Amino acid sequence: MINETGLIFLGPPGAGKGTQAKYLAEFLEIPHISTGDILREAIGAQTILGKQVQEYVDRGDLVPDRLILDLIEDRLDRQDAQKGWILDGFPRNVKQAKFLDELLAKLNQHYMVYVVNLEVPEEVLMKRLLETRRRKDDNRETISHRLQVHKQETEPVIEFYRQHHKLYSVDGNRSPAEVTQSLKEIITAA
Ligand code: ADP
């Protein structure tokens, strides 16, 4: 790897962000930072943060920005993030996206940042999410709610990045290996 790489995965629940992020993090030897995983871990351990966020996560609502922003700042400031990172589940609204831009400047992380939007049709997402139900927040109602919240809060983030940064759209309605291939091409071509 020549430069430090930052990868931001956008895309609805069920698009495959987690799968791709995990794989590419290993490939690039940089940390995979999933805000969903961090929050679920905190809930499991019933930490102060976990108790504060549990009801939001169970409902499929975004947790308040003030809780997420501190968490991201601490995480990106850690030693292992100094050679790059993959963000999965953050930013999820425009305020978080703006915060991230400022944070990267503040932390002096002038990385090559790729913003990738994984595109998958809504009916495919619903099917995938119902088939692979693994989590407590995975029932039909919370899944549709999460998709709804994504439309309202996170789709504007795609526009934000389209205007302010280079945004890559990748067809996520293919096999994981094919999607990985496209992502690797993006990273190595630039
Ligand atoms: P999904 O698979 O639905 O995309 P995640 O695992 O990324 O879900 O996140 C699960 C839940 O954690 C979300 O529904 C939300 O409650 C909370 N969450 C995760 N990331 C964020 C964030 N950046 N801002 C606010 N809430 C978040």
Side-chain angles (χ1 to χ4, degrees):
M1 193 166 47
I2 303 152
N3 290 312
E4 288 89 354
T5 304
L7 251 164
I8 299 173
F9 274 116
L10 303 176
K17 301 188 294 290
T19 309
Q20 296 299 330
K22 192 166 175 289
Y23 180 81
L24 283 172
E26 272 167 34
F27 177 71
L28 297 169
E29 298 180 16
I30 52 179
H32 167 208
I33 303 173
S34 156
T35 43
D37 285 353
I38 295 171
L39 296 176
R40 279 186 292 276
E41 210 177 293
I43 293 170
Q46 284 291 292
T47 61
I48 296 172
L49 173 70
K51 287 179 185 161
Q52 285 172 307
V53 300
Q54 177 147 28
E55 52 179 303
Y56 298 95
V57 173
D58 285 350
R59 277 201 306 266
D61 280 328
L62 296 189
V63 314
D65 287 331
R66 66 187 156 78
L67 300 173
I68 287 287
L69 300 182
D70 277 353
L71 181 157
I72 278 291
E73 180 156 358
D74 289 347
R75 185 63 191 85
L76 292 187
D77 199 23
R78 267 165 49 184
Q79 192 52 44
D80 67 345
Q82 305 318 306
K83 50 190 173 108
W85 35 253
I86 298 185
L87 287 178
D88 161 16
F90 184 93
R92 244 184 167 88
N93 60 32
V94 173
K95 185 172 174 205
Q96 294 181 5
K98 290 182 176 161
F99 173 87
L100 179 61
D101 273 354
E102 286 164 21
L103 178 64
L104 297 182
K106 181 171 138 188
L107 296 177
N108 256 312
Q109 295 187 355
H110 304 290
Y111 300 172
M112 179 74 205
V113 175
Y114 302 89
V115 186
V116 176
N117 184 31
L118 278 182
E119 295 185 305
V120 178
E122 186 153 338
E123 60 278 11
V124 178
L125 295 172
M126 192 44 131
K127 195 163 162 276
R128 282 188 186 176
L129 289 164
L130 286 171
E131 272 169 7
T132 58
R133 254 183 277 201
R134 274 185 297 250
R135 303 183 335 216
K136 197 166 159 250
D137 58 341
D138 273 352
N139 59 58
R140 190 177 274 277
E141 281 94 79
T142 39
I143 288 170
S144 349
H145 188 61
R146 297 213 309 272
L147 292 171
Q148 196 56 37
V149 168
H150 179 270
K151 253 200 198 112
Q152 272 166 14
E153 303 276 338
T154 314
E155 279 186 5
V157 175
I158 299 169
E159 273 322 299
F160 173 85
Y161 280 118
R162 215 192 296 281
Q163 283 166 22
H164 296 85
H165 302 262
K166 186 154 174 42
L167 176 80
Y168 299 87
S169 286
V170 170
D171 177 7
N173 193 16
R174 296 176 294 163
S175 73
E178 286 171 310
V179 176
T180 305
Q181 189 50 38
S182 299
L183 293 170
K184 281 186 178 171
E185 278 163 20
I186 289 171
I187 297 166
T188 48

